[in-house]
Amino acid sequence: MDTQALLKGVKFDEKGLVCAIAQDAETKRVLMVAWMNAEALQKTAETGFAHYYSRSRQKQWMKGEESGHTQQVHELRLDCDGDAVVMLIKQNGGMACHTGRESCFYRVWRDGEWLLTDKVIKSEEEIYGDSR
């Protein structure tokens, strides 16, 4: 893989990160937003599975490395400014959110409040055990 070609045009922020959006390749629903550094973007392109950089844990991670809910990448897109990546993915296991929901975007603003719209498919304890 030509790493220079992959990273060309990507505008990483002052911390070396770029916004990464995971979108279901079939339904087009936005499933999650996370961050990538150059290494995560390279690993994603090389393996075909989504890799991210955790700002809170200060480390690389592959989506699903603990839960098994991996994201198989069908397409990578870069926005016009180069500061956001969209990945069209297949969400293995049906859950992108660590809360056990299909999407991290499970709250909708309606009638002056945030309403929960998606059910929990599997509890965090069932997914991760006592590790969280």
Side-chain angles (χ1 to χ4, degrees):
M1 181 184 67
D2 185 347
T3 302
Q4 281 189 314
L6 173 67
L7 300 178
K8 185 178 181 178
V10 179
K11 293 182 185 166
F12 294 96
D13 68 13
E14 65 281 350
K15 294 179 181 169
L17 302 174
V18 66
C19 179
I21 301 159
Q23 184 177 18
D24 187 283
E26 192 173 308
T27 68
K28 305 301 187 242
R29 183 173 187 195
V30 174
L31 300 178
M32 63 177 277
V33 175
W35 296 91
M36 290 181 160
N37 60 9
E39 182 181 350
L41 184 55
Q42 285 175 256
K43 284 184 177 182
T44 297
E46 287 171 1
T47 67
F49 288 89
H51 287 74
Y52 300 102
Y53 181 79
S54 170
R55 296 175 299 168
S56 60
R57 295 179 288 165
Q58 300 282 298
K59 71 172 204 160
Q60 303 287 330
W61 61 286
M62 185 182 99
K63 177 67 177 168
E65 66 188 13
E66 291 180 39
S67 67
H69 304 142
T70 58
Q71 294 176 337
Q72 188 173 356
V73 179
H74 291 273
E75 186 173 86
L76 283 172
R77 289 179 173 254
L78 185 63
D79 80 332
C80 59
D81 295 323
D83 60 1
V85 172
V86 172
M87 295 176 295
L88 296 179
I89 60 111
K90 176 182 183 227
Q91 179 64 56
N92 296 311
M95 292 166 267
C97 186
H98 74 279
T99 66
R101 293 175 173 88
E102 176 188 17
S103 170
C104 294
F105 296 93
Y106 58 87
R107 294 179 274 198
V108 174
W109 181 254
R110 193 174 294 142
D111 299 325
E113 64 180 317
W114 289 106
L115 300 176
L116 303 181
T117 58
D118 294 14
K119 65 180 177 148
V120 173
I121 298 168
K122 192 184 273 189
S123 74
E124 288 183 68
E125 188 172 287
E126 288 176 287
I127 297 168
Y128 302 104
D130 293 331
S131 65
R132 289 200 169 208

